[in-house]
Amino acid sequence: MTVSTHAAAERIESDGQDPTPADQPAVTFDRHPGTYRHWRLEVDGEVARVVLDVDEDGGLVPGYQLTMNTYDLGVDIELYDLTQRLRFEHPGVRAVVLTSGKEKNFCAGANIRMLAQSPHPWKVNFCKFTNETRNGIEDVTENSGQTWIAALGGTAAGGGYELALACEQILLVDDGSSAVALPEVPLLGVLPGTGGLTRITDKRRVRKDRADVFATKSEGLRGKTAVAWRLVDETLPRTGFDEAVAERAREAAARSARPTDAIGIELTPLEREVTEDGIRYRHVRADVDRGKGIVTITVYGPNPSGVPESIDRIHQLGADFWPLAMTRELDDLILRLRSNELDLGIWVIKTRGDVESALAFERVVKEHSIKQHSSGDWLVNEIRHYFKRTLKRLDVTSRSLIALIEPGSCFAGALLELALVCDRQYMLEGTWEDAETSEEGEEAQLVLTASNFGAFPMSNGLSRLASRFYGDDEHLELLRGETDRRILATEAVELGLVTEAYDDIDWEDDVRMALEERSSLSPDALTGMEANHRFVGPETMETRIFGRLTAWQNWIFIRPNAAGPDGALRRYGTGRKAVFDRKRV
Amino acid sequence: MTVSTHAAAERIESDGQDPTPADQPAVTFDRHPGTYRHWRLEVDGEVARVVLDVDEDGGLVPGYQLTMNTYDLGVDIELYDLTQRLRFEHPGVRAVVLTSGKEKNFCAGANIRMLAQSPHPWKVNFCKFTNETRNGIEDVTENSGQTWIAALGGTAAGGGYELALACEQILLVDDGSSAVALPEVPLLGVLPGTGGLTRITDKRRVRKDRADVFATKSEGLRGKTAVAWRLVDETLPRTGFDEAVAERAREAAARSARPTDAIGIELTPLEREVTEDGIRYRHVRADVDRGKGIVTITVYGPNPSGVPESIDRIHQLGADFWPLAMTRELDDLILRLRSNELDLGIWVIKTRGDVESALAFERVVKEHSIKQHSSGDWLVNEIRHYFKRTLKRLDVTSRSLIALIEPGSCFAGALLELALVCDRQYMLEGTWEDAETSEEGEEAQLVLTASNFGAFPMSNGLSRLASRFYGDDEHLELLRGETDRRILATEAVELGLVTEAYDDIDWEDDVRMALEERSSLSPDALTGMEANHRFVGPETMETRIFGRLTAWQNWIFIRPNAAGPDGALRRYGTGRKAVFDRKRV
């Protein structure tokens, strides 16, 4: 939330259609603390301070000023980079204080001028990414012992307060004016888009009538009421605020099980080659067919000779350790395709490599993973959670995901999740007739391992297998007896692990037809259908954010009451009141 | 789903905007088997046959033919009436066979021409009502021992199959052509809007990749595959189909705990007076302030002298028994306001009457309610479930609900749910200064009873109190100790039962300001916010249908890919293919 100047606001297009997007260059996600424009990362032993100090002129695209510590996608990309570096490069950090570099203003949320000028897909994609970053903050607090604490030395409004809600504790200065607020509904005619409505009721357990009052009160709440309503954990006087915050951080750090003597690894710059036809990384490549609207993503398994013999070797390899290197590349690719390639509606996912090597890597990871009540290696633990989060990104990606399981692929264990994440799985039965390499001459195979039964839970808390066979515990139990061996196509069909198997004669035509048919369907209907099918059974705060909240927000984002020329989002800051169609729907 | 003729389809407006609605008269919900145009109800002892036989010329509004046994709101209003009469007038019915009066065609779903010509709010309201009716079919199967069985003697497509999905069993004729299908995504570019996507995965436990295939396959599936995929329970040859269906019905009837000797009560026509300013029933009235966009709904408690002394007296009273009479009127009012009064965005809910009488009625109902492992009175049981369903309608009503608790009100026990269903509760502290009657001179009060702790669960399976204090079991326990006594305003605030209490001096201004402020907000943002806040915590199939599925469908319904002049919904049946903006969002 920011109060735009009138002069600036007049530049908003008011032609009755979606605001014309600026001709936005491709979004990139390579950041480094040395290049941050909006954040400072200050590490001091067990405690890090993360300071939001937005550069007004540093908007990702032209057309708006990032006044009032408001953010756009660019600000959030830096935040994401920062959370990753804290996890991998600063393992000794056990508590993170999130604060602001501006006097009396924590953060006024997403920049409204930016929202008003952004086309619908940009807004939706922006909300998705910011939600993922906030979920990541909760993930590191819960699973990695790096506890985030929001120290609000000034007002946190809209997305600013939602950022605080992602932290485990919220401390608010008690200065008679600083408040927390969700002014989206009353001022902008949209919802708080990064989990605010869900987190106040489900996480902070604000009574639902109070949640209603709070979310319609543009000025928000402060002081005792904010504490009594559970909107913040504590208010603290301005004098001694920093000391009190530091004390809370020390307390949180003391509770962490994170090792104190760990030495970080460097997240070195990703190597990639971008061409018209795709993107190539070391372990991942994307091949684009724009005519058909398809991108084929191939993940390459590890080198057979590269299985590290010890945990020391894994640390020595650092960002070159295949599971981490591959995950970073895949993560980057997902983010780039989502932001820059809206017309590629089908993502075909393949793997390529040696099954035994993939399993060997998995065994090393498993051996050093943190299990309940025992401490494993912090780095291995971080890598597992990172791969988990990357798979979750695929779960909520609004593209059709189709796995092709062919000879020479290595969908085994953790890599099998890349098939299970897909809407459909097609598998070749038998071998290629014209196989040129011995690898291709082998039959396509899958391997289930223990890690498919819970190492990489979806947002609904279930493994992808448990989601796939929701309610059929007997079959899940049967599958547990089928781990650690090669499963060929006919059996994969019988076990329900793939949608269809075709032999060499039919493969090309049947797969092509399936993809063409998919391409012909309404992209919106597919988005809605996939969002409904991918998460069955139980729901969590996360699934509610990506399901219910996001869907309502998307609806509101294209309603004239918000996005029309007289809508609240476009009129905000112009001095003119929004004009609403008062019909309730 | 229906194949419109080209001639008919050409009448669709193609002006690039929402299709102009026909000047639709007010929708009414009074129906009676004697006046049904689209259904036949055939009761034969323990088994009833419900036959869908749509009159093509019987559309509720002009502009479309109900070909292929397709339905519109009018068809569904009759179905709703029929389900109610089965419960109350035919208590001896223990199994219901849902079938079709057309040869080789069960039902082709919602009429597409109707959808294409309907404005956005009509489509949304239509889907909500049809969803509620289908949930009601599941409710009677689960809670009242009247088990619905779908006997598909022909193809069930789209909403036709979704109707079958609401039944406990689905029997499909095996004739080499009859199929079940969800062709909405491939043919219309929208979602199956009455729970199809949710029920195939969550209820019938179709594997999610198969759900994906099925929901994109316009021709659907039949025979062995339909059974293997769990889309239907059985396929049966055409010869002997009716006998086999009858046998399944007898089996279901035999499992029912419903009494065999029960005598139904008649659901007599509702008495109401409709004026420009509102609607008056015997126990409920609505006063409309169109200028402010507010309707005040007052529910009148029972007459002190009318508490029935015996269960026989309750049956004798039948539709005149206050809890049933009041619930029927409230239900009718909710449906009328939702369909006909889109501009009344705020529903103020009041009660008026004697607290002791309300509690006396509640005791009678409770005494005869069916509890686990014991059989109570079937009629009392039906009334409780009907009030539960009516409260659930309020939960999913896209209007702001505000309870005003004043002197002379009777928010006690079951009637307290009418306050708890609201987004906010305002209560008068003290008495009116200028009270004219002794009743008004008393302080406003609330009474908690045992029934507030589970007799009327919301769609999320929780009581409204458990939803209100989600996660605070301690407070819920404390409230259990505060039942069966008068709670005045100050204490109601302390106990968290009301949002605010104002004294006589502030009441008028503060309530007026709260309502005016609410009126000034974006109706769409309020719809989204309320939908998010009303259901906290756990989710069920129902909340997913009203939450995630509905929200995505609403979004899709206003996207040009569906509803634009070149969209799939508008182009269907014209012979011209839809033109899609291929960008994925």
Side-chain angles (χ1 to χ4, degrees), chain B residues 110-132:
Chain B
N111 187 276
I112 305 312
R113 294 262 309 122
M114 176 278 292
L115 283 178
Q117 79 175 33
S118 298
H120 184 56
W122 182 276
K123 284 199 280 281
V124 172
N125 194 53
F126 166 70
C127 285
K128 186 171 288 174
F129 180 76
T130 52
N131 268 313
E132 288 172 323

Side-chain angles (χ1 to χ4, degrees), chain B residues 432-453:
Chain B
W432 298 129
E433 257 193 29
D434 56 354
E436 284 172 12
T437 67
S438 65
E439 193 184 56
E440 287 175 343
E442 277 190 31
E443 288 193 45
Q445 55 180 284
L446 300 176
V447 183
L448 286 169
T449 71
S451 70
N452 301 118
F453 294 84

Side-chain angles (χ1 to χ4, degrees), chain A residues 350-370:
Chain A
K350 297 185 179 187
T351 56
R352 193 140 196 90
D354 179 54
V355 167
E356 284 313 319
S357 307
L359 293 174
F361 267 79
E362 178 159 321
R363 280 191 294 273
V364 172
V365 169
K366 196 181 164 196
E367 190 186 334
H368 297 288
S369 280
I370 292 176

Side-chain angles (χ1 to χ4, degrees), chain A residues 218-349:
Chain A
S218 53
E219 71 276 24
L221 288 168
R222 57 189 165 80
K224 280 187 198 127
T225 311
V227 176
W229 287 29
R230 302 189 205 174
L231 296 165
V232 305
D233 293 285
E234 274 185 85
T235 53
L236 299 162
R238 170 82 59 198
T239 312
F241 183 73
D242 292 344
E243 292 71 20
V245 167
E247 178 58 28
R248 297 296 172 280
R250 277 192 297 275
E251 288 163 9
R255 288 192 299 272
S256 171
R258 217 170 164 86
T260 47
D261 55 351
I263 295 164
I265 60 129
E266 192 193 343
L267 295 178
T268 49
L270 291 179
E271 293 165 30
R272 77 175 83 72
E273 185 192 351
V274 181
T275 66
E276 259 306 287
D277 303 328
I279 308 179
R280 286 189 192 209
Y281 303 83
R282 283 165 60 203
H283 309 288
V284 177
R285 65 180 281 171
D287 296 286
V288 167
D289 183 336
R290 276 179 226 288
K292 293 186 176 157
I294 297 175
V295 55
T296 301
I297 298 170
T298 308
V299 173
Y300 290 85
N303 192 317
S305 63
V307 184
E309 67 282 7
S310 69
I311 191 71
D312 287 346
R313 176 65 185 148
I314 291 175
H315 281 257
Q316 199 182 353
L317 285 167
D320 286 331
F321 181 47
W322 171 81
L324 178 55
M326 177 274 291
T327 303
R328 290 183 70 208
E329 293 172 2
L330 182 60
D331 187 24
D332 187 69
L333 177 64
I334 293 167
L335 293 174
R336 282 173 163 255
L337 290 175
R338 272 201 205 158
S339 295
N340 303 325
E341 300 282 2
L342 305 184
D343 286 319
L344 301 177
I346 300 181
W347 292 9
V348 169
I349 297 186

Side-chain angles (χ1 to χ4, degrees), chain B residues 278-549:
Chain B
I279 308 178
R280 285 188 193 210
Y281 304 82
R282 283 164 61 204
H283 308 288
V284 177
R285 64 180 284 173
D287 296 286
V288 167
D289 183 336
R290 276 179 225 288
K292 292 185 176 158
I294 297 175
V295 55
T296 301
I297 298 170
T298 308
V299 174
Y300 290 86
N303 191 315
S305 64
V307 183
E309 66 282 5
S310 69
I311 191 71
D312 287 346
R313 176 66 185 146
I314 290 175
H315 281 257
Q316 199 182 356
L317 285 166
D320 286 331
F321 181 47
W322 171 80
L324 177 54
M326 177 273 291
T327 302
R328 290 184 71 206
E329 293 172 3
L330 182 60
D331 188 24
D332 187 69
L333 177 65
I334 293 168
L335 292 175
R336 282 173 163 257
L337 290 175
R338 270 200 206 160
S339 294
N340 303 325
E341 300 281 3
L342 304 184
D343 287 321
L344 301 177
I346 300 181
W347 292 8
V348 170
I349 297 185
K350 296 184 179 188
T351 57
R352 194 139 195 93
D354 179 52
V355 167
E356 283 313 319
S357 308
L359 293 174
F361 267 78
E362 178 157 320
R363 279 191 295 271
V364 173
V365 169
K366 196 181 164 194
E367 192 184 332
H368 297 287
S369 280
I370 291 177
K371 287 165 214 80
Q372 213 153 9
H373 307 302
S374 83
S375 67
D377 179 70
W378 72 266
L379 175 58
V380 168
N381 186 49
E382 283 302 346
I383 294 171
R384 179 169 70 83
H385 283 294
Y386 186 20
F387 189 60
K388 174 196 76 179
R389 291 195 304 281
T390 305
L391 291 167
K392 282 177 161 188
R393 276 210 211 278
L394 287 168
D395 287 327
V396 298
T397 292
S398 55
R399 306 290 192 278
S400 296
L401 306 176
I402 311 286
L404 295 187
I405 304 161
E406 301 167 315
S409 68
C410 53
F411 286 105
L415 288 177
L416 178 59
E417 294 292 311
L418 289 173
L420 295 174
V421 90
C422 289
D423 300 302
R424 299 185 189 181
Q425 301 78 25
Y426 293 112
M427 187 163 183
L428 188 91
E429 193 180 330
T431 58
W432 298 129
E433 257 193 29
D434 56 354
E436 284 172 12
T437 67
S438 65
E439 193 184 56
E440 287 175 343
E442 277 190 31
E443 288 193 45
Q445 55 180 284
L446 300 176
V447 183
L448 286 169
T449 71
S451 70
N452 301 118
F453 294 84
F456 309 105
M458 300 174 63
S459 289
N460 61 6
L462 301 180
S463 69
R464 282 177 190 77
L465 280 180
S467 283
R468 186 176 181 89
F469 300 104
Y470 176 62
D472 194 349
D473 295 344
E474 210 174 302
H475 191 74
L476 263 186
E477 209 40 58
L478 182 151
L479 290 175
R480 276 181 202 274
E482 307 293 338
T483 50
D484 303 311
R485 64 176 189 81
R486 298 181 177 213
I487 297 172
L488 304 184
T490 313
E491 203 184 353
V493 170
E494 276 165 21
L495 292 174
L497 295 170
V498 301
T499 314
E500 291 279 0
Y502 303 119
D503 64 19
D504 182 37
I505 299 166
D506 295 328
W507 178 262
E508 201 175 328
D509 277 354
D510 284 346
V511 168
R512 182 181 48 73
M513 273 164 44
L515 298 180
E516 281 176 5
E517 187 201 75
R518 193 77 169 191
S519 270
S520 73
L521 304 184
S522 161
D524 304 330
L526 288 175
T527 292
M529 183 187 77
E530 290 155 5
N532 276 280
H533 278 157
R534 286 184 191 163
F535 299 95
V536 300
E539 303 243 358
T540 64
M541 214 160 53
E542 277 189 32
T543 63
R544 287 145 71 84
I545 287 169
F546 289 119
R548 191 200 296 184
L549 182 65

Side-chain angles (χ1 to χ4, degrees), chain A residues 120-121 124 128 184-186 189-191 197-198 200-202 205-216 229-230 342-345 395 397-400 420 422-426 458 464 467-472 493 495-500 517-539 543-544 546-552 554-556 558-562 568 577 580-585, chain B residues 120-121 124 128 184-187 189-191 197-198 200-202 205-216 229-230 342-345 397-400 420 422-426 458 464 467-472 493 495-500 517-539 543-544 546-552 554-556 558-562 568 577 580-585:
Chain A
H120 184 57
V124 172
K128 187 171 287 173
E184 286 88 343
V185 171
V190 300
L191 303 183
L197 298 182
T198 311
I200 54 175
T201 51
D202 284 45
R205 305 195 164 169
V206 174
R207 221 173 64 206
K208 59 185 199 164
D209 61 324
R210 287 177 166 173
D212 180 278
V213 171
F214 177 63
T216 55
W229 287 29
R230 302 189 205 174
L342 305 184
D343 286 319
L344 301 177
D395 288 326
T397 291
S398 55
R399 305 290 192 280
S400 296
L420 295 173
C422 289
D423 300 302
R424 300 185 189 182
Q425 301 77 25
Y426 293 112
M458 299 174 64
R464 283 178 189 77
S467 284
R468 186 177 183 89
F469 300 104
Y470 176 62
D472 194 348
V493 170
L495 292 173
L497 296 171
V498 301
T499 314
E500 292 280 2
E517 188 201 75
R518 192 77 170 192
S519 270
S520 72
L521 304 183
S522 160
D524 304 331
L526 288 175
T527 292
M529 183 187 77
E530 290 155 5
N532 276 279
H533 278 157
R534 287 186 190 161
F535 299 94
V536 299
E539 302 242 359
T543 63
R544 288 146 71 85
F546 289 119
R548 188 199 297 183
L549 182 66
T550 296
W552 283 113
N554 289 0
W555 176 71
I556 292 164
I558 49 170
R559 297 278 292 164
N561 282 341
K577 278 185 74 172
F580 294 133
D581 176 347
R582 302 229 61 89
K583 283 199 282 297
R584 284 293 292 254
V585 180
Chain B
H120 184 56
V124 172
K128 186 171 288 174
E184 286 87 344
V185 170
L187 293 189
V190 301
L191 302 183
L197 298 183
T198 310
I200 53 173
T201 51
D202 283 44
R205 304 194 166 170
V206 174
R207 220 174 64 205
K208 59 186 199 162
D209 60 324
R210 287 177 165 173
D212 181 278
V213 171
F214 177 64
T216 55
W229 287 29
R230 303 188 202 174
L342 304 184
D343 287 321
L344 301 177
T397 292
S398 55
R399 306 290 192 278
S400 296
L420 295 174
C422 289
D423 300 302
R424 299 185 189 181
Q425 301 78 25
Y426 293 112
M458 300 174 63
R464 282 177 190 77
S467 283
R468 186 176 181 89
F469 300 104
Y470 176 62
D472 194 349
V493 170
L495 292 174
L497 295 170
V498 301
T499 314
E500 291 279 0
E517 187 201 75
R518 193 77 169 191
S519 270
S520 73
L521 304 184
S522 161
D524 304 330
L526 288 175
T527 292
M529 183 187 77
E530 290 155 5
N532 276 280
H533 278 157
R534 286 184 191 163
F535 299 95
V536 300
E539 303 243 358
T543 63
R544 287 145 71 84
F546 289 119
R548 191 200 296 184
L549 182 65
T550 297
W552 281 114
N554 289 359
W555 176 72
I556 291 163
I558 48 170
R559 296 278 292 165
N561 282 341
K577 278 185 73 172
F580 294 133
D581 175 348
R582 301 228 65 88
K583 282 198 283 296
R584 284 292 293 254
V585 181

